[in-house]
């Protein structure tokens, strides 16, 4: 569970930004999207294949 404690003299806007950042880093949005509807085994495999390709691209671009 993500939790943000407001600091003294801190605005609600900055606290909301911190909360959104923590939620995205925790991967909560991805988990919600994944569980929103049923995913067939073929769709699941395609999604994993795309993720592996992205990972390979990120790794290879880092060594240049």
């Amino acid at each position: 569970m993500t939790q943000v404690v407001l600091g003294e003299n801190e605005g609600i806007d900055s606290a909301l930004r911190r909360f959104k950042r923590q939620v995205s880093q925790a991967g909560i949005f991805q988990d919600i999207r994944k569980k929103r509807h049923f995913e067939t085994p073929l769709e699941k495999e395609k999604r994993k294949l795309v993720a592996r390709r992205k990972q390979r691209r990120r790794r290879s671009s880092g060594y240049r």
Side-chain angles (χ1 to χ4, degrees):
M1 177 99 194
T2 302
Q3 183 175 338
V4 174
V5 178
L6 268 132
E8 201 172 311
N9 296 328
E10 181 181 17
I12 191 77
D13 293 333
S14 62
L16 187 60
R17 273 196 303 269
R18 275 194 304 135
F19 176 74
K20 286 181 180 179
R21 191 178 321 123
Q22 287 178 2
V23 167
S24 68
Q25 286 176 352
I28 294 172
F29 284 134
Q30 291 172 349
D31 197 36
I32 289 171
R33 283 190 198 113
K34 191 168 41 174
K35 293 181 180 188
R36 184 174 285 173
H37 59 84
F38 179 75
E39 189 175 38
T40 64
L42 183 62
E43 290 172 336
K44 192 174 190 179
E45 191 59 36
K46 282 183 181 180
R47 180 177 47 82
K48 286 183 179 182
L49 180 66
V50 169
R52 276 183 260 151
R53 284 181 186 161
K54 280 184 181 179
Q55 232 177 14
R56 263 191 242 131
R57 270 192 232 130
R58 286 183 192 144
R59 281 192 209 140
S60 66
S61 67
Y63 291 111
R64 290 183 181 186

